[in-house]
Amino acid sequence: MNDVAAPSQPQQQLSVTLNVNGKRFDLHLDPRVTLLDALREHLQLTGSKKGCDHGQCGACTVIIEGRRINSCLTLAVMHDGEEIVTIEGLGSPESLHPMQAAFVKHDGYQCGYCTPGQICSAVAMLDELKSGIPSHASTDLSNPSFSEAEVKERMSGNLCRCGAYSNIMDAIAEVAKGEGLPA
Amino acid sequence: MKAFTYQRARSIDEAVEAASTHPGSKFIAGGTNLLDLMKLQIETPSHLIDVNHLGLDRIEPSADGGLKIGALVRNTDLAADRRVRSDYRVLSRALLAGASGQLRNKATTAGNLLQRTRCPYFYDTNLPCNKRRSGSGCAAIGGYSRNLAIMGVSDACIATHPSDMAIALRALDAVVEVAGPGGAARRIPIAEFHRLPGDTPDIETDLGAGEIITGVVLPKPIGGRHIYRKVRDRTSYAFASVSVAAIFAGDGSRRFAFGGLAHKPWRVEAAEGEGTADRIAEAVLAGARTTEDNDYKRPLTERTLKAVFGEAEVQA
């Protein structure tokens, strides 16, 4: 006998607290709700986008406890009490995050649908590089440094169907330079 | 997704107990493969046991001079660990050759081993698949099989296990540590952990009901030159057509484990003493069963191995 909920039975509802962009939200959720759907449908934070909904495109990328992840491939109830940063929390129209400003300056998009995910991913990606996390493109595993090849490899989880990659590359390179990343 | 209930386990015993009392349950850690499959209703657990808070997220020295990797260590953290980067470089390289940055941040060591062995027809619920529904047939055999298995295949299934990490673990002779009902614990050599498809391709590992992986143990470092070479259709974020995890050890011995060829990491120890890449490849590929689409994997295996030998020369 298992306890799967038949359609006629009320589905389990769970309490979860999400700390999003510095604000606390107490929610009651069906366990099926992904973090992406919780952000978009329950908190009306529609900056994070649903592209493929299977972790292939990266449009849903958010930063949890400092790490970038695909918010479509995780359940909201698994993130009780954790600190989540979305594109809305990185900067504001009045005060853009340097990565947001660089994407504007270098025209790092066409339609813009992948852009929030690209920017969240790029910000966390540079932090990974700064903390010495290697990548497939690192010639020296013990000491990865900034290069175009590194960025291309590390950003491969973010697709841009408009093909704005070269401008995205330029935007990220400018921010990396501003942060003094060794090349 | 089909409806399910959810619980957060606080201890290994609680997780094992929950799995025993909920027959349709699954453990969830990173969730990157499980939730993907649940959205397609290929996986339909009635109960999820969240094991992220079991404290199995450390990498510690083992009693015999090796390393014990907790089941929940994220792929990013394992690849970046100082000891792994210096003493088990083939493992760092293999991990970094897999998936994307976002996925590696979430995916765990145990989850990587337990991701489903799969092919495009496994994902297409309109077509038969013995792995999805036992006895329904295999649409891949006679279908589009370019990236599918050529070694250890059966009439029931020609899917490949996509893990890069597991190929390196096979070359390193890692051991999987498992806990089970009633406080039982056992150790499974990585060579025996994944199964060939046979008549039951839906059964992919040696794990029994209610068993949970608690860690993976790496033996004492053997030094030498470590290489992971992966050939794929695009430069990043793609499964291997063929991959080779190679260790040219300090004592002159060599180890080669292959990805992209089979339902499990493919290694033929008896071939490792052969003198040249050609002869090793020939012995490794003995009994290959290819299709018109994937016959290219035979020469590709040989050429990839030659390239690995070339890389080893450069490193020497």
Side-chain angles (χ1 to χ4, degrees), chain B residues 230-262:
Chain B
K230 180 175 180 179
V231 183
R232 44 186 158 173
D233 282 345
R234 54 173 191 242
T235 317
S236 186
Y237 199 12
F239 290 154
S241 300
V242 169
S243 70
V244 181
I247 302 172
F248 294 77
D251 63 2
S253 66
R254 300 171 306 194
R255 303 176 183 190
F256 305 102
F258 297 82
L261 297 185

Side-chain angles (χ1 to χ4, degrees), chain A residues 14-27 29 35 63-66 75-85, chain B residues 6 8 10 50 53:
Chain A
L14 294 163
S15 296
V16 59
T17 299
L18 299 180
N19 297 314
V20 187
N21 303 329
K23 283 188 207 146
R24 178 189 162 117
F25 298 94
D26 296 309
L27 299 169
L29 297 175
L35 178 60
I63 303 168
I64 300 190
E65 303 285 333
L75 299 171
V77 294
M78 294 168 72
H79 296 282
D80 191 39
E82 294 180 4
E83 296 292 335
I84 300 160
V85 175
Chain B
Y6 168 93
R8 187 180 273 204
R10 299 287 171 189
D50 183 344
H53 302 273

Side-chain angles (χ1 to χ4, degrees), chain B residues 74-238:
Chain B
R74 309 288 152 173
N75 287 177
T76 297
D77 297 317
L78 182 55
D81 183 88
R82 291 272 163 210
R83 294 157 292 186
V84 176
R85 273 195 267 181
S86 63
D87 298 336
Y88 305 96
R89 291 183 303 284
V90 68
L91 179 56
S92 278
R93 285 290 180 194
L95 282 158
L96 296 171
S100 66
Q102 288 96 319
L103 291 173
R104 289 192 297 272
N105 280 344
K106 207 86 183 77
T108 63
T109 307
N112 188 307
L113 290 175
L114 292 175
Q115 64 180 304
R116 296 299 305 270
T117 307
R118 53 201 193 265
C119 89
Y121 297 97
F122 174 69
Y123 270 87
D124 187 344
T125 52
N126 295 308
L127 290 169
C129 170
N130 288 318
K131 201 176 267 301
R132 245 188 296 109
R133 202 155 61 81
S134 187
S136 63
C138 173
I141 297 173
Y144 184 69
S145 55
R146 188 172 174 282
N147 220 21
L148 303 183
I150 64 170
M151 302 307 302
V153 298
S154 73
D155 291 335
C157 183
I158 58 171
T160 50
H161 193 274
S163 169
D164 293 289
M165 182 193 81
I167 310 305
L169 292 181
R170 181 70 182 87
L172 290 164
D173 284 330
V175 174
V176 183
E177 293 193 330
V178 171
R186 65 187 181 112
R187 295 162 60 86
I188 308 170
I190 187 74
E192 292 160 29
F193 185 79
H194 293 105
R195 297 165 53 128
L196 289 177
D199 296 330
T200 53
D202 50 318
I203 305 170
E204 295 170 355
T205 72
D206 190 47
L207 284 188
E211 284 191 318
I212 184 170
I213 297 175
T214 54
V216 172
V217 177
L218 302 179
K220 198 175 159 181
I222 58 166
R225 288 160 281 163
H226 288 216
I227 293 163
Y228 189 75
R229 192 175 185 97
K230 180 175 180 179
V231 183
R232 44 186 158 173
D233 282 345
R234 54 173 191 242
T235 317
S236 186
Y237 199 12

